[in-house]
Amino acid sequence: MAEDKSVVKAVEAPPLTPLKIKSKLAPTPARPPKYALKVKNAQGAEVTLADPRATRALVALMDVHAVNGGAACHWGGPAAFAEIMAAIHGVIFGVQGRAWHEAYNFVNDAGHAENGIYALRTNYGFDNFTFEDLKDFRGIKSKLTGHGESHLNPEGVLLSNGPLGSALPQAEGLAVADKVAKRDRVTICVVSDGASMEGEAKEAFAAIPGLAAKDRVNPFVLVISDNDTKLSGRITKDAFSMQPTFAAMGTLGWNVIPVTNGHDLQAVFLSVEKGIALAKANPKQPVCLLVKTIKGYGVKETEQSSSGGHGFPLANGEKIVEFVNEIYGGQTPEEFVSWAKTLRLDWEQKEAAKKAKAAAAPTAAPSIKKDKVQSGLAKGAVKAAQEGFPVYSISSDVQGSTGISFFQKSFPDRFIEVGIAEANMISVGAGFSKAGFIPIVDTFGQFGVTKGNLPLTMAALSQAPVIAMFSHVGFQDAADGASHQATTYLAATSAIPHTVVIAPSCSDEAEALMYQAIKKMASDRASGKDGESYLFFVGRENYPVYWIENAKYEWNRAQILQQGSDVTLIGSGTLLIKAIEAGKKLAEQGIKATVIGNPFINRVDLETIGPAVKACGGRVVTIEDHQVVGGMGAQVSHALSQAGIAHRVKSLGIHGEFGQSAYLAEELYTKHGLTTAKMIESAKELIASK
């Protein structure tokens, strides 16, 4: 690259005026919060704020409804943020003479705390929400999604959140754009200490004060909740201390206001009020409120938990009455007590029904053994390590969810956690690879392919291949919503050179392929070859551990599970089961289908698939938990075309839409036509149109 010394004459243009985009955010609430507390502002006048105890109680109650529906939820984060959010909303909803969102941009980058915002705002009656609406939290019919989704809830969410650290840089953009547009508006962004570990957050930590010093940023207030806690445990113990990072905020140019007790509502409110006043008085120096909080605050058990009760600790309504009473210290409003008792009664009735059904039921046939697919990946890694292969695990906080924790517990001295920093994790893995190890990195699929795409590319370019376990792909992460649902993972990675993309569909297959991947990488590297990266994409739900007894899982080969001559059904990963079910039901109707499991996405096995397609007259139906653009079906069809194999294909997948929260992935599969019935319908259409 050379310095650009070109000379361009300035041109005339009309004044720079932004598009007139009407805000969809709901107006300032017409009434104070139903459950409220009083504090005093800097002038000594009383201010009404939403009671943080009500926020915590509502979060607990709405979470029980969600877990009853089958969804996971969060408690620790919103419990930690309750006073912070109450104070901020007291200020922004207290704006006089104009809409609150004309005076403030409010951005929540603590995605795991979004349900606390829903609870707080419903206490105000914001957007006409009632407590009844909270009972549908994370359901497919509700816009109260697992993480804030502006595409479903533009009335309440300005910027979508969820992938930690991603909304803060967008908030930076809002504040810079407001400066360009000459708007009188303050941006307030809330983040967690876990989000502060992400690369995007650290870039914004430096950029915001750097640009503000050049008078390029409108008033900006950053609020950090510091409780040394992340999803899997304590940040300092598991990874490294964030205190040096926070100590450097002043050096970066922030006006830092320490708040030593984030659960003293009066102190928090005065700090928020002061921070906004300072940012307005001197926009060239943004303000950072560094607030010490306790994750899971309000319930002793979660306060003391290593994870701060990150997920909701109750699996049903059995103990919800005691939980809510502890939040209020026994002085619980009757409305909440009654609600909790109803949930408890519902649990009692369900338990009684289960016992009655069990007593009346005949002896059940032996159930098919099921397991998470990722457990097979970890088993394969353990087996390889036992045989002497230098396998090493590098994680970024979610190893309990991805399944690699089994390997880490088996070999406590063969892993490191780099904190909540997926891009850094993959790059560290590349370093391990270059040093002669076989690194396994792990995270949710969405974060692996979005935050990790460049590091994956650079690992391949540096002849430093890695093995990845990317879980919770597609709609399998149903309750967390669109921000967590990877639906472009195959398209995003299949074109990376020297990278093999694999979507196993059962635990046994995953174990066999992981073991082979490690052996193959070791063999290639030892022989002087660069080697290839192997990316394994798996779901989160349980599936049969095998589809065929004593199956052989050959490297780079598809597997024929059923032979036929009328139509070929091809599936992979989480939705292979739909193809298997469709094949069986078609057989019952006299239609003979070949069913193929196709785990090697970007290494299409034409030796197996080609003859099967020809034998079925070129009729093919594919199904996948992925966008149809660039997915497994598209790659199979392209490979067949390149080989000159005539075929007609119906690809079942996601058609250019984001997902949303739902209690179960099956609800989303039904909505998007990713079902056994749709496969059968598509197969019949192909047969009828010959």
Side-chain angles (χ1 to χ4, degrees), residues 99-421:
W100 68 275
H101 51 76
E102 291 177 359
Y104 293 98
N105 291 313
F106 171 73
V107 177
N108 173 38
D109 202 0
H112 297 153
E114 193 71 27
N115 51 343
I117 297 173
Y118 300 150
L120 179 150
R121 290 181 173 182
T122 301
N123 190 11
Y124 274 97
F126 178 83
D127 196 21
N128 297 314
F129 270 104
T130 68
F131 292 162
E132 195 68 24
D133 293 309
L134 298 179
K135 297 177 182 180
D136 290 326
F137 170 56
R138 288 201 166 198
I140 196 168
K141 295 180 180 178
S142 175
K143 63 182 181 181
L144 303 183
T145 53
H147 298 273
E149 304 283 7
S150 58
H151 74 298
L152 292 177
N153 186 12
E155 300 83 5
V157 179
L158 179 59
L159 297 176
S160 295
N161 60 57
L164 296 179
S166 295
L168 171 57
Q170 293 187 37
E172 174 190 337
L174 286 172
V176 174
D178 277 345
K179 183 71 176 181
V180 172
K182 297 180 174 58
R183 294 182 180 127
D184 174 24
R185 183 153 54 193
V186 177
T187 296
I188 302 175
C189 183
V190 179
V191 301
S192 64
D193 46 1
S196 300
M197 304 182 86
E198 292 281 9
E200 300 107 309
K202 287 189 170 76
E203 291 174 13
F205 284 174
I208 293 168
L211 292 171
K214 299 174 73 173
D215 201 22
R216 302 297 300 274
V217 184
N218 253 29
F220 198 103
V221 177
L222 173 68
V223 183
I224 300 175
S225 170
D226 175 18
N227 47 54
D228 194 34
T229 314
K230 53 188 178 56
L231 186 153
S232 61
R234 300 300 178 188
I235 292 174
T236 300
K237 178 177 180 292
D238 294 348
F240 53 85
S241 173
M242 286 297 291
Q243 295 314 305
T245 295
F246 297 146
M249 295 298 277
T251 304
L252 288 172
W254 293 88
N255 185 350
V256 180
I257 301 176
V259 183
T260 57
N261 183 359
H263 303 296
D264 180 338
L265 186 61
Q266 175 66 70
V268 172
F269 178 80
L270 289 174
S271 297
V272 169
E273 190 181 43
K274 178 182 177 182
I276 292 170
L278 288 172
K280 284 183 173 181
N282 182 16
K284 289 187 176 183
Q285 186 176 33
V287 174
C288 172
L289 270 62
L290 189 57
V291 187
K292 287 286 186 180
T293 59
I294 298 172
K295 197 167 182 180
Y297 185 82
V299 173
K300 185 177 180 180
E301 182 181 352
T302 55
E303 288 179 17
Q304 296 176 347
S305 164
S306 62
S307 68
H310 180 88
F312 189 54
L314 305 183
N316 49 52
E318 179 183 7
K319 299 178 180 179
I320 187 60
V321 176
E322 296 87 344
F323 199 90
V324 171
N325 279 334
E326 184 175 352
I327 291 169
Y328 266 96
Q331 303 298 312
T332 315
E334 180 54 37
E335 182 176 19
F336 295 159
V337 172
S338 177
W339 188 347
K341 286 181 177 179
T342 299
L343 289 168
R344 163 75 190 194
L345 179 60
D346 178 63
W347 173 80
E348 291 174 350
Q349 291 172 342
K350 286 178 180 176
E351 286 298 299
K354 282 182 190 176
K355 291 177 182 178
K357 184 177 180 180
T363 303
S367 59
I368 298 172
K369 185 179 179 182
K370 293 186 175 183
D371 200 355
K372 294 185 183 300
V373 180
Q374 51 262 53
S375 69
L377 295 174
K379 289 176 184 176
V382 168
K383 180 181 177 182
Q386 286 178 306
E387 293 184 8
F389 292 96
V391 181
Y392 201 91
S393 167
I394 301 108
S395 285
S396 60
D397 189 38
V398 292
Q399 51 265 52
S401 299
T402 62
I404 196 62
S405 60
F406 175 71
F407 176 90
Q408 295 179 353
K409 290 176 180 178
S410 300
F411 303 102
D413 60 342
R414 298 191 185 188
F415 80 94
I416 189 171
E417 185 183 313
V418 299
I420 305 173

